[in-house]
């Protein structure tokens, strides 16, 4: 194993990003990137420092034929865990089962207004003769009951399908051989993921078409209500296709530390979350204060798109400064 591969392996086992390792060595992140890409080699002092940080010998770092090592208990990061292929497969399976439970809850919550729309459609079309008070009572009672069922399903789901805490903590390393197998599974799953996503998006985009056509042809109000029901049903079907497929795809990427689940991205996301916990409450306070002061609620909403643009610009600036530190 080459020095570059050993640095990558050790850094990931400690759960550090390139930036974090660079800070410990007092070098730039670009230097770490070059070492790991075998574009340059650290000098002797840096290699000694690497050995001290990782708790390994310089022989292990410098000699390609030495592949086994032991990290001293004083140095090894307690957050680090190793994940077997069986545990990784269990995580994907539990994630899929959990997503199916989420779909049930989401569809029930989404469909909670359907009884009210149906009652309105039947009353408007003269199919049933009931008072407005009774019609709204039936519709709202059914809606609140379905909302309660959906919430209960979401709560029970967290207890029934517990995900691997090690994977959720992101501080783990796959055991030897597991990574290549999971990469093959992710690649083979890609076709199904693209197909499911395409079908789901097509259903969502076309869900409003019946409602639009009804409005264009001046359909009766009863038909409009039925088209709203069809719209919600199509969206529910689309979500039942998209959510499980996307969840499994994300589970594989999380196990492989790909895309937004790479160590560098995790550090970047932590910065964004930390900044947003300060930024958005401030925006809400400014919005409420400005609106109450002027009572111009029809104008003050403009603060939200402006705040979103400023937020994106500030996050980009923070990440740029950090990456070029």
């Amino acid at each position: 194993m080459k020095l570059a591969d050993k640095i990558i392996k050790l850094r990931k086992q400690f759960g550090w990003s390139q930036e974090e390792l660079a800070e410990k060595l007092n070098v730039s992140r670009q230097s770490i990137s070059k070492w790991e890409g075998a574009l340059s080699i650290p000098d002797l002092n840096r290699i000694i420092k690497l050995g001290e940080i990782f708790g390994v010998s310089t022989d292990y770092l410098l000699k390609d034929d030495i592949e086994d090592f032991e990290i001293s208990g004083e140095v090894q990061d307690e957050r680090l865990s190793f994940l077997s292929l069986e545990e990784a497969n269990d995580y994907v399976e539990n994630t899929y089962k959990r997503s199916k439970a989420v779909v049930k809850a989401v569809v029930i919550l989404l469909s909670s207004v359907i009884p009210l729309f149906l009652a309105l459609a039947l009353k408007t079309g003269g199919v049933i003769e009931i008072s407005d008070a009774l019609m709204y009572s039936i519709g709202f009672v059914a809606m609140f009951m379905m909302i309660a069922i959906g919430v209960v399903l979401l709560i029970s789901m967290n207890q029934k399908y517990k995900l691997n805490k090690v994977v959720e903590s992101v501080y783990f390393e796959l055991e030897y051989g597991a990574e290549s197998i999971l990469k093959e599974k992710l690649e083979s799953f890609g076709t199904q993921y693209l197909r499911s996503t395409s079908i789901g998006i097509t259903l969502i985009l076309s869900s409003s078409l019946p409602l639009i056509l009804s409005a264009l042809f001046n359909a009766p109000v009863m038909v409009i209500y039925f088209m709203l029901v069809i719209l919600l049903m199509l969206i529910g079907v689309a979500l039942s296709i998209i959510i499980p497929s996307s969840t499994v795809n994300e589970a594989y990427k999380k196990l492989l530390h790909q895309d937004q689940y790479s160590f560098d991205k995790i550090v970047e996301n932590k910065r964004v979350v930390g900044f947003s916990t300060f930024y958005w409450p401030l925006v809400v306070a400014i919005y409420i204060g400005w609106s109450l002061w002027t009572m111009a609620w029809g104008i003050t909403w403009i603060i939200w798109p402006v705040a979103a643009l400023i937020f994106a610009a500030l996050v980009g600036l923070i990440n740029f400064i950090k990456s070029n530190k």
Side-chain angles (χ1 to χ4, degrees), residues 257-324:
H257 292 300
Q258 291 184 1
D259 297 343
Q260 70 268 31
Y261 300 109
S262 65
F263 289 111
D264 290 338
K265 283 292 183 181
I266 290 168
V267 173
E268 180 179 317
N269 293 336
K270 285 181 179 179
R271 286 199 294 262
V272 174
V273 171
F275 175 67
S276 62
T277 55
F278 157 78
Y279 180 84
W280 288 112
L282 179 62
V283 172
V284 172
I286 294 173
Y287 169 70
I288 294 175
W290 182 24
S291 300
L292 292 176
W293 180 267
T294 61
M295 296 305 293
W297 298 90
I299 299 174
T300 55
W301 64 267
I302 195 67
I303 195 175
W304 294 109
V306 173
L309 290 173
I310 295 174
F311 178 78
L314 290 176
V315 168
L317 179 61
I318 291 171
N319 289 330
F320 175 78
I321 293 173
K322 288 289 186 180
S323 64
N324 290 276

Side-chain angles (χ1 to χ4, degrees), residues 216-267:
L216 288 176
F217 289 100
N218 297 318
V221 177
M222 181 181 71
V223 175
I224 298 294
Y225 282 125
F226 276 122
M227 293 303 102
L228 284 170
V229 172
I230 292 174
L231 181 146
L232 293 173
M233 292 176 65
L234 287 175
I235 292 176
V237 173
L239 292 177
S240 66
I241 295 173
I242 292 175
I243 291 177
S245 179
S246 299
T247 303
V248 171
N249 186 68
E250 293 300 304
Y252 278 121
K253 289 187 175 181
K254 185 177 290 187
L255 288 167
L256 294 167
H257 292 300
Q258 291 184 1
D259 297 343
Q260 70 268 31
Y261 300 109
S262 65
F263 289 111
D264 290 338
K265 283 292 183 181
I266 290 168
V267 173

Side-chain angles (χ1 to χ4, degrees), residues 61 204 212 238 274:
L61 293 172
I204 291 175
I212 294 172

Side-chain angles (χ1 to χ4, degrees), residues 22-75:
E23 290 178 355
K24 297 177 186 297
L25 290 168
N26 196 26
V27 297
S28 66
R29 186 189 64 80
Q30 287 80 1
S31 296
I32 303 297
S33 180
K34 288 181 179 179
W35 296 348
E36 294 185 352
L39 299 176
S40 66
I41 300 174
D43 58 38
L44 183 58
N45 290 331
R46 300 298 184 198
I47 291 176
I48 294 173
K49 187 65 176 177
L50 281 170
E52 293 175 354
I53 290 174
F54 291 131
V56 298
S57 66
T58 54
D59 282 346
Y60 167 74
L61 293 172
L62 294 173
K63 295 181 179 180
D64 296 345
D65 57 336
I66 301 179
E67 306 225 354
D68 296 327
F69 68 93
E70 285 188 10
I71 299 177
S72 62
E74 297 179 355
V75 179

Side-chain angles (χ1 to χ4, degrees), residues 20-225:
E20 288 175 317
L21 179 57
E23 290 178 355
K24 297 177 186 297
L25 290 168
N26 196 26
V27 297
S28 66
R29 186 189 64 80
Q30 287 80 1
S31 296
I32 303 297
S33 180
K34 288 181 179 179
W35 296 348
E36 294 185 352
L39 299 176
S40 66
I41 300 174
D43 58 38
L44 183 58
N45 290 331
R46 300 298 184 198
I47 291 176
I48 294 173
K49 187 65 176 177
L50 281 170
E52 293 175 354
I53 290 174
F54 291 131
V56 298
S57 66
T58 54
D59 282 346
Y60 167 74
L61 293 172
L62 294 173
K63 295 181 179 180
D64 296 345
D65 57 336
I66 301 179
E67 306 225 354
D68 296 327
F69 68 93
E70 285 188 10
I71 299 177
S72 62
E74 297 179 355
V75 179
Q76 186 175 10
D77 196 320
E78 292 181 356
R79 299 176 301 177
L80 178 67
S81 297
F82 289 91
L83 205 69
S84 66
L85 178 60
E86 183 180 359
E87 290 173 322
N89 289 331
D90 288 342
Y91 176 77
V92 174
E93 184 179 353
N94 287 334
T95 301
Y96 176 74
K97 291 179 179 178
R98 185 187 177 98
S99 69
K100 299 293 284 187
V102 169
V103 166
K104 290 180 182 178
V106 168
V107 169
I108 290 174
L109 292 172
L110 184 67
S111 306
S112 61
V113 294
I114 288 180
L116 179 60
F117 286 158
L118 288 175
L120 287 168
L122 295 175
K123 178 174 172 54
T124 305
V127 178
I128 57 174
E129 295 292 336
I130 58 174
S131 64
D132 289 345
L134 179 59
M135 178 193 66
Y136 284 115
S137 298
I138 294 173
F140 282 118
V141 167
M143 180 177 68
F144 289 129
M145 288 180 63
M146 292 179 72
I147 291 174
I149 293 171
V151 171
V152 169
L153 284 175
L154 286 174
I155 295 173
S156 61
M157 171 200 67
N158 291 327
Q159 298 177 346
K160 186 175 181 180
Y161 302 107
K162 293 183 179 180
L163 298 180
N164 192 309
K165 293 182 179 180
V166 173
V167 180
E168 294 299 303
S169 71
V170 309
Y171 295 110
F172 67 90
E173 180 77 7
L174 292 170
E175 289 187 353
Y176 180 77
E179 184 173 356
S180 59
I181 295 175
L182 290 174
K183 282 183 178 179
E184 291 178 2
K185 288 188 175 183
L186 175 60
E187 186 176 349
S188 63
F189 183 75
T191 303
Q192 179 182 339
Y193 169 67
L194 290 175
R195 182 173 62 250
S196 300
T197 303
S198 301
I199 293 173
I201 292 176
T202 301
L203 284 173
I204 291 175
L205 293 176
S206 60
S207 62
S208 59
L209 187 60
L211 183 62
I212 294 172
L213 292 175
S214 300
L216 288 176
F217 289 100
N218 297 318
V221 177
M222 181 181 71
V223 175
I224 298 294
Y225 282 125

